[in-house]
Structures are given as C-alpha cells and as structure tokens.
C-alpha cells in the first residue's frame, strides 16, 4: 500500500515563477519559508531544525528564452556538534547566480559541454544552464538546493577540539612479547 504524500517529500519549499509571466524588466521576489516548510526541509537535510530561512531573488529574462536568477539565501540551522554532541546553531548565507534555459536547449548545451570534455586540457569548464521545466522556475527549490549545499556536514561548537585519548604502551606489551619471552626462556635467561 502506498503512503499518502504531503507534497513535501520531493520539494519541501515551493515558490514557482511562470516564465511566460516574467515582465521584460524582470522581477524581484522575497521569500520566507513557513514553519511547516522549514520542518520538512530539516527532515530532508537530516538537521535538528531550521530556525529561519529567507531568500531574495532577481529574475531577469534574457535572449533565447533564457532567464538569469541572482540573489542570496540566508538561514539559521540547528545542528549537533560532531565533537561534543551539544546542540549548536549555524548561520548560512549563500549567493545564487544561475542561468536557466528551455529544457531542450539546456540538454543540448549540456551535451556539447560534455563532448568538449574529451580534450586533454579543457579550457575553463562552463556549467550548462539549468532547465526550465514545464515553463516554471521554482525559486523555493532553488533556495532549498543552495541552502542544502551550504550546510556544514561536520559542524563544531566554537572551541571544540577532538582529542584522541593517548595511552602509553608498556614496552613489554607488544604483539611479539610472547615470542620474545619464549626466546629468552630458550636461551636460559
């Protein structure tokens, strides 16, 4: 039996922009994730909690049906220190600058870039544009992806240092101590 979906399993934070409705002058969007969206994002990311998430984007149409999205994502996330296991909070601020293109063009450009990778020393690798899927750019998903990529996978509380316990070994306690004892006994020592 399949489990009912809440809509958060795939994209916990949605803020779709219909490309055909973007004015020639572009648009600016300020986004704030709701408590339910933050909780769903925290579950997906394996975080203790996400206390706040804010994103600001400028969406500008370009030639050939392309769209450039620039802006930033800010968040406060609750994690667990990998050294002390204490709860900690981290601030995240991530810049976003992505080009979107119609799906067919994005695929074609990705293929061209991949074919060019066969050279021994490619000049500078250029990322292909992101695909505009079904005429929509989802700013919520874009913000979520930027946030997830910026999360420190090994957060540490300020000043927390992992110190391995050092145990001084007894010189007589080593893997060959028994052999040495037999050898010494054989020599009559």
């Amino acid at each position: 039996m399949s489990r009912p979906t809440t809509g958060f399993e795939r994209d916990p934070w949605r803020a779709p922009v219909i490309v055909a409705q973007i004015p020639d002058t572009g648009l600016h969007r300020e986004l704030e994730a709701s408590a339910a969206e933050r909780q769903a994002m925290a579950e997906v990311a394996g975080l203790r909690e996400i206390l706040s998430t804010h994103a600001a984007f400028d969406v500008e149409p370009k030639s050939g049906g392309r769209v450039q999205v620039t802006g930033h994502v800010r968040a406060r996330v609750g994690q667990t220190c990998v050294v002390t296991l204490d709860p900690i909070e981290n601030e995240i601020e991530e810049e976003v600058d992505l080009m979107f293109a119609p799906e067919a063009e994005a695929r074609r450009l990705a293929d061209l870039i991949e074919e060019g990778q066969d050279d021994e020393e490619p000049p500078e690798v250029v990322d292909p544009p992101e695909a505009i899927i079904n005429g929509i750019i989802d700013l919520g998903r874009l913000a979520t992806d930027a946030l997830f990529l910026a999360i420190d996978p090994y957060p540490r509380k300020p000043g927390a240092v992992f110190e391995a316990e050092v145990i001084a070994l007894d010189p007589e306690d080593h893997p060959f101590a028994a052999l040495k004892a037999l050898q010494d006994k054989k020599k009559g020592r």
Side-chain angles (χ1 to χ4, degrees):
M1 178 174 192
S2 67
R3 185 179 103 188
T5 61
T6 61
F8 287 135
E9 282 78 8
R10 192 176 156 157
D11 293 317
W13 190 14
R14 305 253 355 217
V17 171
I18 299 169
V19 173
Q21 295 177 355
I22 299 172
D24 291 343
T25 56
L27 56 88
H28 179 79
R29 289 284 186 263
E30 297 277 336
L31 308 172
E32 193 76 39
S34 70
E37 290 164 333
R38 291 192 317 269
Q39 180 180 348
M41 286 189 294
E43 288 172 12
V44 170
L47 296 172
R48 195 169 38 85
E49 64 184 327
I50 296 179
L51 300 138
S52 65
T53 306
H54 175 266
F57 294 115
D58 290 312
V59 182
E60 298 178 52
K62 301 290 183 183
S63 64
R66 294 180 184 195
V67 177
Q68 183 166 19
V69 179
T70 57
H72 64 270
V73 178
R74 289 190 179 105
R76 185 161 187 81
V77 298
Q79 295 180 273
T80 302
C81 174
V82 295
V83 176
T84 64
L85 301 181
D86 291 337
I88 58 173
E89 292 180 6
N90 286 317
E91 295 285 338
I92 292 176
E93 186 161 341
E94 191 70 13
E95 295 297 317
V96 174
D97 186 354
L98 289 172
M99 183 66 70
F100 286 81
E103 201 169 357
E105 182 186 352
R107 265 197 313 270
R108 185 181 63 78
L109 290 171
D111 291 344
L112 286 174
I113 289 170
E114 193 171 309
E115 286 173 17
Q117 302 273 327
D118 295 339
D119 299 340
E120 284 193 24
E121 279 194 44
E124 192 171 309
V125 177
V126 178
D127 289 333
E130 300 291 320
I132 297 171
I133 299 173
N134 298 325
I136 293 174
I137 296 174
D138 190 338
L139 298 179
R141 181 174 188 172
L142 179 60
T144 302
D145 289 349
L147 169 65
F148 286 1
L149 289 171
I151 292 171
D152 182 355
Y154 305 105
R156 288 185 181 210
K157 190 175 180 178
V161 178
F162 177 75
E163 293 182 21
E165 185 177 339
V166 178
I167 301 170
L169 298 176
D170 181 351
E172 295 298 318
D173 187 23
H174 55 79
F176 299 107
L179 291 175
K180 185 175 183 325
L182 285 173
Q183 187 179 25
D184 289 349
K185 187 176 180 180
K186 190 174 180 182
K187 290 183 181 175
R189 290 188 186 167

